[in-house]
Amino acid sequence: MSDKPLLRIINLKKRFGDKVVLDGVSFDLYKGETKVIIGPSGTGKSTLLKSINRLVVPDEGEIWLEDTEITKCKNINAIRQQIGYVFQDFGLFHHLTALENIMIGLTKVKKIPKKEAMERARYELNRVGLSGIEDLYPAQLSGGQKQRVAIARALAMDPKLMLFDEPTSALDPELIGEVLAVMQGLAEADMTMLVVTHEMGFARSVSDEIIFLENGRIVEQGPPERMFTQPKHPRTREFLFKLR
Ligand code: ADP
Ligand code: MG
């Protein structure tokens, strides 16, 4: 582990109208770490992730990606290229094949020649276990396959950090495992990841640390074993108990 965090969040605050959604969130994420954020819905988890790639502009606080302050950065596209973002609804282009969905960022944003982009896209599809579906369109894929294409697309950009916002919430139960398995593989390959999920088995077995967020504040954070077996805060205990 290096001594400087890859991602540093300092006293982040955001309100929408009168509603305080992030109320002073601070934490660090080191290279190779996977942290899982859990918490009830409406407590600011998505707002936190969106602040990191500036889909949301926070009111106060700082977000640093290595030596760049995201919250002050003028060239936001340069930041977004370094951060993979995978969310519930996949966000694939319906008129493009699986392979083309992965290639488009490489050719349009990174200006990589088409042939090279195609090779990279094939490699990424193979990495998420989807060799053979290159020429299929999103409508021809299952939800689990669509989400794996979305992950492959993010990985093709060589991100420093991967953000996952409830990546399996829109999936039928039997398709959740294949997506979690890909994410587990990434964590084991030392990708740096911040994952919002309700999949407690994944949180417990894959994360280095769990952050319990409620009403825009970190109530408690710690290693998964301790959080699950000996939560210190009564709210954490209640939340984890309700899920069983
Ligand atoms: P979570 O991901 O934990 O379910 P969100 O971060 O999506 O929570 O939302 C937290 C709160 O902020 C919710 O009450 C939501 O309605 C509100 N909110 C989120 N985005 C907006 C927005 N763009 N405008 C107004 N309110 C919003
Ligand atoms: Mg959310």
Side-chain angles (χ1 to χ4, degrees), residues 91-177:
L92 298 178
F93 295 110
H94 295 286
H95 63 292
L96 298 180
T97 65
L99 200 71
E100 289 165 346
N101 262 284
I102 301 172
M103 286 171 63
I104 192 161
L106 295 170
T107 53
K108 292 262 165 20
V109 180
K110 290 212 166 188
K111 310 289 181 204
I112 290 175
K114 199 171 166 193
K115 186 161 176 290
E116 205 180 307
M118 195 178 288
E119 274 166 30
R120 178 69 191 258
R122 284 184 193 284
Y123 167 83
E124 295 299 345
L125 272 181
N126 182 50
R127 205 167 149 195
V128 298
L130 287 178
S131 289
I133 63 115
E134 287 79 1
D135 299 328
L136 298 186
Y137 288 86
Q140 298 171 292
L141 302 174
S142 73
Q145 288 174 325
K146 277 187 259 199
Q147 191 58 298
R148 285 188 284 156
V149 172
I151 294 172
R153 179 178 58 180
L155 291 174
M157 301 298 280
D158 265 331
K160 287 182 177 159
L161 167 68
M162 285 287 286
L163 306 176
F164 291 90
D165 192 354
E166 301 199 29
T168 60
S169 293
L171 301 179
D172 291 335
E174 72 272 20
L175 302 177
I176 290 174

Side-chain angles (χ1 to χ4, degrees), residues 53 80-86 154-155 159-164:
N53 65 2
R80 289 198 185 130
Q81 278 188 50
Q82 301 178 61
I83 301 175
Y85 177 51
V86 173
L155 291 174
K160 287 182 177 159
L161 167 68
M162 285 287 286
L163 306 176
F164 291 90

Side-chain angles (χ1 to χ4, degrees), residues 8 10 40 50 60 78 121 146 161 185 188 203 210 216-217 227 242:
R8 166 158 276 186
I10 305 167
K50 285 177 187 164
E60 269 183 64
K146 277 187 259 199
L161 167 68
E188 284 165 3
I210 292 180
R217 292 178 180 218
M227 289 288 278
K242 260 201 225 141

Side-chain angles (χ1 to χ4, degrees), residues 174-221:
E174 72 272 20
L175 302 177
I176 290 174
E178 65 193 54
V179 173
L180 294 180
V182 166
M183 292 166 63
Q184 175 160 9
L186 287 179
E188 284 165 3
D190 283 339
M191 175 58 79
T192 311
M193 321 211 295
L194 195 56
V195 182
V196 174
T197 187
H198 297 292
E199 293 295 326
M200 293 301 143
F202 175 87
R204 190 163 179 169
S205 61
V206 178
S207 75
D208 296 297
E209 187 165 88
I210 292 180
I211 295 171
F212 174 52
L213 192 76
E214 189 174 56
N215 299 328
R217 292 178 180 218
I218 295 180
V219 174
E220 185 172 353
Q221 57 189 319

Side-chain angles (χ1 to χ4, degrees), residues 41-42 44-47 88 165-166 196:
S41 61
K45 303 183 300 297
S46 295
T47 303
Q88 216 169 300
D165 192 354
E166 301 199 29
V196 174

